[in-house]
Amino acid sequence: MRISVVGCGYLGAVHAAAMAHLGHDVVGIDLDDAKVATLRSGTAPFFEPGLPDLLDEGRASGRLRFSTSFDEVRGSEVVFLCVGTPQRADSYAADLTQVDSAFRAVAMVADDAVVVGKSTVPVGTAARLALELEASTPSAALAWNPEFLREGFAVADTLRPDRLVYGVEERHGDRAVVALDSVYESALRDGAPRLVTDLATAELVKVAANSFLATKISFINAMAELCEVAGGDVTLLADAIGLDDRIGRRFLNAGLGFGGGCLPKDIRAFMARAEELHAEPAVSFLREVDSINLRRRERMVDLTVGVLDGRPLAGARIAVLGAAFKPDSDDVRDSPALDVAEKLHARSARVVVTDPQALHNARRKAPHLSYARTVAEAVDGADAVLLLTEWPEYRGLDPVALGEHVAHRRIVDGRNVLDPTVWRSSGWTYRALGRP
């Protein structure tokens, strides 16, 4: 099929490259000249495992190209909208500026294409856009196909999705389903479940899923708060309740909490939209989910102060291992790790941050912090070490070898991924969220 992908950020660039890998003829559209030039050269503008290989393959096959012109959309059978929906600066609501702008540009050249939204939008957006499309380009159809990508696993999640959701309108439903089935023929053949819904349900699926995951994470972090005052161990607590098949162990890892460009802004936008629909009580619990998540960052600062054994935080050298919001990513949007580093800096600590992939983005977002390319450089002379992003190389650190570089063997495990017994037996003071 001939496919256009509008918006070449995390979602769009991966989607375009993956569609070309599946054999489709794909053009990615983005108004950022520098981003398009980077993609044309076969270079990914962000770190995502597996994406460079797909870009190289797409260029070599001739099935993948990138452009800044919406005229390239003409003749496409399917047009995917993959632009961002950040949180508005003045409220919790989603900023739909990019969605509306991209949609109107596409509508002018869509002809008889199926226009498919993948962006995470407030419920009701697709119905509004469907009316606009009917008025401007009645031969085109609208559908909504929410994405469920995990940064660090986006390529696999696109090529082998755990489910496909098609939100369609009644008038063009059959046509949209046939088109999307052709797009995802490979995944469907491999057994990916497919659900066909109305537009509103498709919009709600993504925010509901993210809200559930955020709630599960914040629940175990609330239990960590109780464990700290009661003397319990939240990791053992999570193991015990996770053995219940109704609950499960996944996403019950207590620690610094969630961040990134999706979960925080999506649950806030969900609350804002519910308020607009006069249904705020239905999701009011999400305010506490958000509050618990943000409290973990303050608690990490408290643990750092406590581990210094009475030494003032001001002037103390603190090594921060991790800047990305999660491993296998260079994304620092709403990163808990970088936020903690900035909070420590604001209290006059001498903070040195390291990360395998996110240093460039971290420097742009927080230029006032100090950065190191290696762990050894970051921890040199440190009064305390904070593990805040659970990269595999940090989880596998040798406490004896690391101890040769620091001024004091003190570590705060913000992700509960280190073995306390091993570190304490190597002479380290070990602290973690929710553990004695």
Side-chain angles (χ1 to χ4, degrees):
M1 299 185 76
R2 184 171 178 185
I3 293 174
S4 294
V5 177
V6 177
C8 295
Y10 279 94
L11 168 61
V14 172
H15 194 68
M19 294 300 99
H21 174 77
L22 294 176
H24 301 297
D25 180 16
V26 183
V27 58
I29 309 294
D30 200 288
L31 297 181
D32 186 327
D33 290 327
K35 184 186 295 180
V36 168
T38 298
L39 288 165
R40 280 175 174 168
S41 72
T43 303
F46 49 84
F47 178 73
E48 182 61 41
L51 179 57
D53 291 340
L54 288 190
L55 292 173
D56 286 341
E57 178 192 278
R59 290 178 70 214
S61 69
R63 291 193 299 267
L64 178 64
R65 56 196 174 87
F66 295 92
S67 174
T68 59
S69 173
F70 277 91
D71 285 338
E72 298 277 2
V73 171
R74 293 187 187 277
S76 295
E77 298 166 80
V78 177
V79 182
F80 286 101
L81 295 177
C82 298
V83 296
T85 53
Q87 183 177 325
R88 285 174 47 178
D90 59 349
S91 74
Y92 276 0
D95 184 346
L96 297 180
T97 302
Q98 295 179 55
V99 169
D100 289 338
S101 177
F103 174 79
R104 287 162 189 159
V106 165
M108 295 176 64
V109 292
D111 300 326
D112 58 354
V114 177
V115 180
V116 183
K118 291 195 73 68
S119 304
T120 303
V121 296
V123 62
T125 303
R128 171 174 64 82
L129 297 181
L131 291 175
E132 290 187 22
L133 192 63
E134 171 64 20
S136 66
T137 316
S139 58
L142 185 85
W144 219 262
N145 171 220
E147 55 88 9
F148 302 102
L149 306 189
R150 301 164 296 164
E151 288 188 33
F153 301 91
V155 170
D157 288 344
T158 304
L159 296 176
R160 295 177 292 280
D162 57 13
R163 78 279 210 195
L164 293 164
V165 177
Y166 305 166
V168 301
E169 50 180 339
E170 184 175 353
R171 188 168 56 90
H172 293 296
D174 291 344
R175 176 182 163 200
V177 168
V178 169
L180 286 170
D181 278 354
S182 295
V183 170
Y184 296 120
E185 180 183 0
S186 175
L188 292 169
R189 187 172 58 246
D190 290 341
R194 187 199 70 175
L195 292 85
V196 179
T197 75
D198 53 83
L199 293 174
T201 301
E203 291 169 308
L204 286 169
V205 167
K206 176 61 184 295
V207 290
N210 276 356
S211 295
F212 186 85
L213 294 177
T215 300
K216 194 170 184 181
I217 294 167
S218 282
F219 170 81
I220 199 61
N221 281 334
M223 296 303 100
E225 293 182 8
L226 288 175
C227 283
E228 287 179 11
V229 297
D233 187 327
V234 72
T235 60
L236 298 177
L237 174 66
D239 289 342
I241 65 176
L243 290 172
D244 188 325
D245 289 340
R246 297 168 300 174
I247 297 172
R249 185 60 176 81
R250 296 191 66 197
F251 290 93
L252 284 180
N253 295 318
L256 191 49
F258 56 83
C262 290
L263 258 64
K265 64 98 174 173
D266 284 354
I267 66 171
R268 293 165 190 161
F270 200 10
M271 288 187 282
R273 184 56 177 152
E275 184 175 2
E276 292 171 353
L277 295 173
H278 306 291
E280 184 179 12
V283 295
S284 60
F285 68 94
L286 290 177
R287 293 193 181 276
E288 183 57 23
V289 167
D290 195 24
S291 177
I292 292 168
N293 189 56
L294 294 177
R295 283 205 304 270
R296 306 316 289 155
R297 306 177 188 189
E298 296 291 348
R299 180 59 183 149
M300 178 58 62
V301 174
D302 292 340
L303 285 182
T304 304
V305 172
V307 84
L308 290 175
D309 296 327
R311 170 174 177 163
L313 181 59
R317 182 178 170 90
I318 308 297
V320 171
L321 308 186
F325 86 96
K326 62 175 288 186
D328 296 313
S329 173
D330 63 355
D331 194 347
V332 298
R333 289 176 294 175
D334 201 3
S335 166
L338 200 57
D339 190 22
V340 169
E342 292 195 84
K343 291 180 187 303
L344 292 168
H345 174 81
R347 294 179 61 172
S348 300
R350 294 185 296 127
V351 181
V352 182
V353 180
T354 190
D355 190 282
Q357 295 293 337
L359 288 187
H360 176 68
N361 289 337
R363 281 194 180 101
R364 288 196 303 174
K365 184 173 182 180
H368 46 280
L369 298 178
S370 297
Y371 296 93
R373 294 182 61 84
T374 67
V375 171
E377 183 185 349
V379 305
D380 184 40
D383 295 300
V385 178
L386 277 56
L387 193 164
L388 302 186
T389 307
E390 63 273 35
W391 286 93
E393 47 264 68
Y394 299 161
R395 299 175 67 141
L397 285 170
D398 181 345
V400 175
L402 195 70
E404 299 300 318
H405 296 278
V406 300
H408 300 280
R409 295 191 178 194
R410 303 164 177 149
I411 190 162
V412 183
D413 181 4
R415 295 297 179 179
N416 275 308
V417 294
L418 303 177
D419 186 331
T421 302
V422 170
W423 284 78
R424 286 170 178 155
S425 65
S426 300
W428 288 77
T429 298
Y430 173 94
R431 289 299 309 276
L433 295 160
R435 304 181 79 173

